[in-house]
Amino acid sequence: MKMKHISRSIYSLLLLASFSVSAQEKKADSTAVVTPPVKSDRYGIRVGVDLHRLSRSLYDDKFRGFEAVADYRLTKKIYAAGELGTVDFTIDDDQVNFTTKGSYFKIGFDYNAYENWLDMENMIYTGIRYGFSSFSQNLNSYTIYDKNPYFDEVTVYPNQKYSSLTAHWAELIGGIKAEVYDNLFLGFSVRLNILFTDKKPNNFDNLYIPGFNRTYDGSFGVGFNYTVSYFIPLYKKKIEQPEVKTKK
């Protein structure tokens, strides 16, 4: 009887161990590793034009200007960017009338601070540019200021041209770009310009510099642009995502 009781105890222990192992296997099988779908970011070049300068050339007969814009995606957040433009602008102020003609380019980087979701590629960005301009100034006329109101003001028409002028500056930028249709983007940016150096004409001043804009406030200037651009995708980079464990 004693041996029979021992046999039953051993059998019960083996049966309990079998149930325990089976439960552990089921528990292990209930946890599955789910591999998320592969996602990728598109990389390429975006090219466009400044709508403000184009439209102003249509309604302002004293202004002719064009600016091309472009950016190239380097990393998930950083873009190489630049602008290239020309200006022919006659400014008629109270005391002076002059015409500025020239071209400019700007080159730098943009940082996209916007976290896109799904497949969106919009931008809320900050950036920096180095700018260079080569231009000429033509002094059309100027009025000699006279404090005595009893005499008529005297206007002089020298028609003096100053060539081979240059300027160097930096820009701090803030802007947005939003996709309004497949690969088509509308954008807007504001710019704070800081003039480093400029070659000035004799007996005159660079009151307006192409690409930099007015210099009436000394070494500081402001600017903005409205752009329409098209994105040309060149390749894709996979976005690495962690595996997710789920319970069945």
Side-chain angles (χ1 to χ4, degrees), residues 102-235:
S103 58
Y104 61 90
F105 73 84
K106 309 173 188 179
I107 189 168
F109 298 92
D110 291 332
Y111 175 81
N112 185 16
Y114 184 71
E115 290 292 340
N116 283 290
W117 57 287
L118 296 179
D119 296 325
M120 296 173 63
E121 296 174 319
N122 299 326
M123 294 180 66
I124 299 177
Y125 65 93
T126 59
I128 189 171
R129 299 285 190 278
Y130 159 73
F132 172 79
S133 179
S134 176
F135 57 100
S136 66
Q137 303 272 22
N138 195 89
L139 178 58
N140 303 319
S141 66
Y142 63 90
T143 301
I144 299 175
Y145 178 71
D146 191 348
K147 295 181 179 180
N148 192 336
Y150 296 101
F151 295 97
D152 293 334
E153 291 183 332
V154 178
T155 301
V156 181
Y157 299 88
N159 195 28
Q160 178 67 50
K161 185 175 182 178
Y162 306 93
S163 303
S164 302
L165 306 176
T166 57
H168 304 258
W169 69 92
E171 296 184 0
L172 301 177
I173 303 172
I176 60 173
K177 290 179 182 177
E179 188 173 16
V180 294
Y181 196 69
D182 289 346
N183 298 328
L184 186 67
F185 291 78
L186 290 180
F188 172 75
S189 71
V190 293
R191 296 150 185 265
L192 174 63
N193 306 332
I194 306 169
L195 186 64
F196 292 149
T197 181
D198 63 324
K199 182 180 179 181
K200 297 181 179 180
N202 295 327
N203 303 319
F204 194 47
D205 200 354
N206 292 323
L207 303 179
Y208 182 91
I209 297 174
F212 183 90
N213 298 328
R214 288 178 178 264
T215 63
Y216 290 8
D217 295 325
S219 298
F220 294 93
V222 294
F224 64 93
N225 66 3
Y226 298 97
T227 61
V228 57
S229 55
Y230 187 82
F231 177 69
I232 304 173
L234 300 178
Y235 63 95

Side-chain angles (χ1 to χ4, degrees), residues 48-59:
V49 296
D50 174 29
L51 296 176
H52 168 66
R53 286 169 174 79
L54 281 180
S55 61
R56 187 174 180 181
S57 298
L58 297 177
Y59 67 78

